[in-house]
Amino acid sequence: MTEAETLPILFVPDKRLRLKARPIGDADGDKVRALADKMLATMYAAPGIGLAAPQIGEGLRLVVLDIQPKEKPEPMVLVNPEIIAESAELAMREEGCLSLPGQYADVTRPARVKVRYLDLTGAKREIEGDGLLSACLQHEIDHLNGVLFVDHLSALKRNMILRKLAKDLKSQQRG
Ligand code: GNR
Ligand code: NI
C-alpha cells in the first residue's frame, strides 16, 4: 500500500465544521476513493479513531474509522452513512475530537446503533455496534450534520471547553 498524503484538520470555530455535508453520488466516484485514502492517512497520523470529511474541509458525507488502529488495523470507509436504529438504553463515554484538540468530556448517547452505508464499491452495507464503536459512529455522523460532541453537553460545560480550546490554540500559536 502506498502512503497517501495527509491533510490539515480544521479546528473549531471554523465555520465549515458547522455545515451539513452533501450526499455522495455516482459522479463523485473517482474523487471519493482518493479522498478516503488521504483521510485514513490523516486519521492514523493524528492519531485518531475516526475522521469525517468536513473535518478536512470537504462537505461530503464520507467517514473513515478504525477503533483499534494499534492492535489490529481495520480501516473502514463509510459513504453516506445513516443511523437506521438506535437503542433506548444510553451509555456515557469520554470523547475527544481532532477538531477540538486536547479537549475531552463525557458524552451520553444511545448505547447501540445500527448504521447503513455504502462501501467504496457502492455496495450497501450495515454495521451494528456498541461501546467505543457506537460512540465513534455517532460522533462521525454528527460531523456530517455540522454537530460536534460539545453540542451534547450543557451550555456551561460546552462554553468552558470552547473557551479553553481558544486559549490553548492561542498559546500554541505564540509557541
Ligand atoms: O479520535 C477520536 N476519538 C474518539 C473518542 C471517543 C469518541 C469519539 C472519538 S472520534 C475522535 C476523532 C474525531 O474527531 N473524529 O471525528
Ligand atoms: Ni470529531
Side-chain angles (χ1 to χ4, degrees):
M1 202 172 99
T2 55
E3 305 280 304
E5 65 174 300
T6 63
L7 303 162
I9 296 173
L10 305 183
F11 297 155
V12 169
D14 194 301
K15 287 196 167 58
R16 289 169 285 181
L17 292 168
R18 290 309 198 169
L19 303 177
K20 192 174 164 81
R22 75 163 170 87
I24 289 169
D26 296 339
D28 298 308
D30 284 350
K31 178 180 178 174
V32 169
R33 188 176 296 265
L35 189 59
D37 276 354
K38 290 179 196 171
M39 285 173 59
L40 280 165
T42 303
M43 178 189 79
Y44 285 125
I49 58 169
L51 189 71
Q55 293 182 276
I56 48 93
E58 290 285 347
L60 292 170
R61 302 189 81 78
L62 179 65
V63 161
V64 298
L65 195 79
D66 189 342
I67 59 162
Q68 291 194 339
K70 293 237 179 68
E71 289 76 13
K72 180 165 160 252
E74 264 181 52
M76 286 195 46
V77 178
L78 287 72
V79 174
N80 297 341
E82 49 182 322
I83 294 170
I84 56 168
E86 59 185 39
S87 64
E89 186 193 337
L90 304 177
M92 186 174 76
R93 162 174 301 272
E94 184 175 75
E95 298 193 14
C97 181
L98 295 172
S99 295
L100 294 93
Q103 316 304 316
Y104 303 90
D106 287 338
V107 178
T108 300
R109 302 179 183 272
R112 292 175 300 282
V113 290
K114 190 190 281 189
V115 171
R116 181 173 294 157
Y117 65 98
L118 302 178
D119 67 19
L120 278 175
T121 74
K124 267 194 193 175
R125 291 183 173 257
E126 284 181 12
I127 183 172
E128 203 171 348
D130 63 5
L132 183 60
L133 177 60
S134 173
C136 193
L137 285 166
Q138 293 176 71
H139 176 118
E140 302 311 338
I141 292 170
D142 270 356
H143 274 301
L144 304 182
N145 296 320
V147 174
L148 302 168
F149 80 86
V150 290
D151 299 334
H152 295 280
L153 309 176
S154 68
L156 180 71
K157 283 187 190 166
R158 176 167 56 251
N159 288 330
M160 276 177 48
I161 287 179
L162 295 178
R163 275 195 292 270
K164 177 152 176 300
L165 174 65
K167 186 177 154 220
D168 290 355
L169 290 176
K170 221 172 178 181
S171 82
Q172 265 187 30
Q173 276 170 14
R174 282 196 296 266

